[in-house]
Every structure is written in structure tokens, then in C-alpha cells.
Amino acid sequence: MNASVSPLARPMRLLSIDGGGLCGLIPAECLILMEKQLDDLTGHQLPLCDRFDLIGGTSTGAILAAGLCLGLKAAELRDFYLKFGKGIFTKVFFITRLWHSYPSEPLERHLKDVFGESTMLGSDNLRTQLLIVAKNATQGATWFFSNNRRGKYFANNAGLPLWQIVRASSAAPTFFPPQKMNVLDEKGQVHNYEFIDGGVSTYNNPSLQVFLEATDPQYKNGWPPGTDKLLLLSLGTGFNSITIDEGKASGYNLLDWARYTVHGLMGDANLQQNVLMHLIGQNPAGPVVTSTAEMDAVRGTGAPGEKALAFMENGLGANKLLTYQRITISLTRERLDGLGLKDIDPVKVREMDAADQIGNMQRVGAAVGKEQVKMEALKQFFM
């Protein structure tokens, strides 16, 4: 599937993957099951890059999205976390930790090994259209890196190393230092911009931007909307409300608040994006479990009120623009117990740098996939 593919006489298929550090094991396990089910349904084995027309990701989701677009199998990407997760999340010396908790070198080395140092955003090695979200800290703007050859900024960004773009999207403040990249502007001048994690924006869940990239004429795809014409599968890395025990907030220091802000922003972004997508999207018909993890958290607070939630769930009535399925989980005691994971601590497993929880994150992902990945109900989009 070419990155500049034109609309075909079939539905267009989109895939979106959230940020979340090592919790990327959750969507990775879901991708493995998705790949297997589609192979079984169609009777032939294909990598997911040949199943989807556009794959987008933020932060850890960018790692998965880029790997899939290069034709890697989902299991190979899962193994990236299993093999290298502990090495990537090894603390730096205490003094350096005043700026960031982890060195960038291990992550950069493994990204180069997986994606290749010579693979550029405009490379023909990318077998389908890719979208990566990063935050340009120098300009204070969210950037969407795309290999769509008709895109407005393709000529400016095509020569950027793919590993650097993925590293930029993964540079979570307080965790990793920013990523510097030399970028051409429209006048041909080179700027040395510094980028941080795309999750430090409203696009940690990039679903809406993936939808816009596919349908908005300004992005030069212009694929037609419609519940029978457009499918978007959105994979989350787990969701939980960020809370502080009574009386504890007043004792927080600057580092505590920095980490709280990163986690809180990601959670709020996931909620916002998922609410918007449920407004415009229709759940798949059939035996499909569509996660309401983010909306359940809002319902628990009572903030929007039941009328607002009812509207959020009913959306635009018959005027839906796509078929949309969200796959994720609330990382709470109740949900993990319901999946038979009573021995997993929800507080520990939700931390995106918890290298000691890698095995448990993998188990959560496998359970979520078994519960929610039902490609049989979506076979009309892939046959």
C-alpha cells in the first residue's frame, strides 16, 4: 500500500495509537491479536501496514505506528518493549535528574536499530501513510509529521530521519531531554528546533487528527466520510483519573507537580479526543466491546452531568461521519479484577516508566485484546 494511495472502491481504514510510555505494551498486545484475526478472516497473512491506509501515533504510539508502517509485525514491536524497556528507563545520575529522569542514548540507539539511521520520513520503505505527533517547544506549536507526498510540509520534512521524529514524539518532559532537529522552513532556511513529547498537547490520543488527516481537504487526502466508508480503530494505553489524597496536594514540590501535570494532561487529552470521536463516530455493529474508560471516569466525577453524557454518547444521531471503535481500559482495581488480574497493582501498572511492571503491562494488554479486539464484526471493512 503506497503512502500516496488514492481512495479506492472500498472503505478506508485508519488506526490511531495513544502515548503512554511502557504502557504501549497494552496496544501492542491488541495489535498482535488484531493482526492474527485479520489473517484468519481473510485467509492470507499480511502486516498491518497492508491493512490500513493511515496509521497515526503519539509518543509510544509513534514507535508502534512507525514500526507498523515499515512493515514490522506487531509481535516484533511488542518485543521492542520486552527487550529494551528496562534499559531505556534506567535512571541518570542524581544531579542530571534535576533536568530529566532518563538518558536519551539508550532510546536513541534502539530506535536507530529498529528504524535505521538512513530511513527518512519521505522514504519508500514506509508502506502506508504515517502520522506522528510532536510538540515544537521552540515555536510552542503541535506539529504533525506526515509522509503524505501531497501534504503542505512534506517537502520540508521528507529528509528528516524517521528515528529522530519518533524520538521527538517520545521526549516526555521530566522523563527525557528534548530532541533537536534541523528543519527547513518554506523559504529554505534551516532552523534548529527542539521538540518534546506530542502528549504534551491535546493529541496524546491522536484519533481526531488522524480522522482530519484522512478527510479534511487541506491535508490532500479528502477521503469521503461515512459509517460504511471510513473505519477508525483507536488504541489506548490505559486510563485513570489522576487523584491526590486529601491534604497531600499542599505538600507537593515542583517535581511532583511537573509529573502530575504530564499525567493529568495526557488523561484530559484522552478524554477530550474520545468524547469528540464518539460524537462524530458510530460504534461498530455486532459483538464488539467498545471501551468507555475515559467517559466512565467523567461519569464518576459527575462533572458534565447526565444530560451532557447522554448527548455525548448519542452524538449527532444519524449524521455520523465514520465507524469508530475505542480499545483501552480503566486501570482501576475493579476493572483489573474483572479481567482476572487480581494480583496486579493498578497504581503501579499505570506508571508509564514502571520497568518492573513490564510483564504485568503485557498481561493487561493481552486481557484487553481478548475482551475488545473482535475483527469479525469489522470484516466488511477488510474483505
Side-chain angles (χ1 to χ4, degrees):
M1 188 176 295
N2 189 278
S4 59
V5 65
S6 297
L8 305 175
R10 60 160 176 77
M12 305 305 283
R13 295 141 351 190
L14 318 175
L15 180 62
S16 172
I17 311 173
D18 288 12
L22 290 173
C23 291
L25 276 162
I26 296 174
E29 287 291 337
C30 293
L31 289 167
I32 291 172
L33 190 55
M34 187 183 301
E35 188 176 77
K36 182 181 185 306
Q37 289 183 9
L38 286 172
D39 287 349
D40 291 343
L41 277 172
T42 61
H44 52 275
Q45 296 185 353
L46 288 175
L48 289 176
C49 63
D50 292 342
R51 305 282 191 193
F52 288 91
D53 303 288
L54 170 59
I55 303 175
T58 301
S59 193
T60 199
I63 296 174
L64 294 170
L68 291 176
C69 287
L70 286 171
L72 296 179
K73 303 287 282 184
E76 294 178 271
L77 292 168
R78 185 269 316 277
D79 291 346
F80 177 90
Y81 296 87
L82 299 182
K83 292 178 181 178
F84 308 130
K86 289 184 179 180
I88 290 171
F89 288 96
T90 298
K91 296 283 187 180
V92 297
F93 291 115
F94 177 76
I95 294 177
T96 310
R97 255 184 269 170
L98 295 173
W99 288 270
H100 52 85
S101 296
Y102 304 104
S104 60
E105 289 78 12
L107 175 59
E108 291 174 2
R109 182 172 65 253
H110 296 312
L111 291 177
K112 290 175 185 178
D113 289 343
V114 172
F115 301 131
E117 292 188 62
S118 62
T119 303
M120 306 300 166
L121 181 63
S123 172
D124 288 336
N125 292 338
L126 290 166
R127 293 165 54 175
T128 194
Q129 199 169 130
L130 171 67
L131 177 71
I132 293 177
V133 183
K135 182 88 172 191
N136 185 327
T138 307
Q139 291 192 325
T142 304
W143 278 33
F144 307 108
F145 291 95
S146 171
N147 65 331
N148 180 359
R149 297 179 183 277
R150 299 181 301 276
K152 181 177 180 180
Y153 298 106
F154 176 77
N156 304 76
N157 300 330
L160 295 175
L162 181 62
W163 77 263
Q164 285 190 6
I165 297 174
V166 174
R167 162 74 174 84
S169 182
S170 307
T174 77
F175 290 92
F176 296 105
Q179 173 67 39
K180 295 181 179 180
M181 289 195 291
N182 292 321
V183 183
L184 286 172
D185 66 16
E186 295 178 342
K187 297 179 180 179
Q189 296 179 322
V190 178
H191 299 270
N192 186 233
Y193 292 135
E194 291 183 290
F195 290 86
I196 58 175
D197 197 317
V200 189
S201 71
T202 56
Y203 298 95
N204 188 59
N205 172 352
S207 296
L208 181 61
Q209 186 60 35
V210 169
F211 169 75
L212 293 175
E213 189 82 18
T215 58
D216 190 326
Q218 72 169 313
Y219 294 110
K220 308 300 182 181
N221 279 316
W223 298 333
T227 57
D228 60 340
K229 298 176 182 177
L230 201 64
L231 169 69
L232 173 56
L233 295 179
S234 174
L235 306 186
T237 55
F239 181 86
N240 61 282
S241 297
I242 306 300
T243 61
I244 302 175
D245 292 339
E246 291 184 22
K248 297 293 185 181
S250 59
Y252 265 34
N253 59 34
L254 290 176
L255 183 58
D256 291 329
W257 282 119
R259 293 176 70 90
Y260 175 88
T261 300
V262 171
H263 284 281
L265 179 59
M266 288 182 176
D268 289 345
N270 289 344
L271 170 61
Q272 180 196 57
Q273 297 293 312
N274 197 40
V275 167
L276 291 172
M277 293 309 300
H278 273 292
L279 280 172
I280 65 174
Q282 174 178 288
N283 290 340
V288 175
V289 177
T290 299
S291 176
T292 59
E294 294 93 345
M295 291 194 290
D296 285 346
V298 174
R299 181 180 285 106
T301 67
E306 290 302 318
K307 290 184 179 179
L309 282 166
F311 174 74
M312 188 167 64
E313 291 166 351
N314 293 329
L316 302 176
N319 301 314
K320 298 289 189 173
L321 302 178
L322 75 163
T323 294
Y324 172 74
Q325 184 182 2
R326 177 71 168 161
I327 297 174
T328 191
I329 181 176
S330 296
L331 292 171
T332 63
R333 178 75 278 150
E334 182 181 7
R335 275 295 277 134
L336 293 179
D337 287 351
L339 291 174
L341 303 173
K342 296 183 179 182
D343 61 313
I344 295 179
D345 185 337
V347 176
K348 292 181 179 179
V349 80
R350 69 177 59 146
E351 294 297 325
M352 58 186 183
D353 60 340
D356 63 331
Q357 295 295 308
I358 285 176
N360 285 334
M361 291 174 182
Q362 183 182 7
R363 291 172 59 204
V364 172
V368 171
K370 183 177 179 180
E371 178 190 59
Q372 298 179 35
V373 176
K374 309 290 181 184
M375 302 310 293
E376 171 71 29
L378 300 171
K379 63 181 180 181
Q380 71 270 24
F381 291 98
F382 294 93
M383 302 301 285

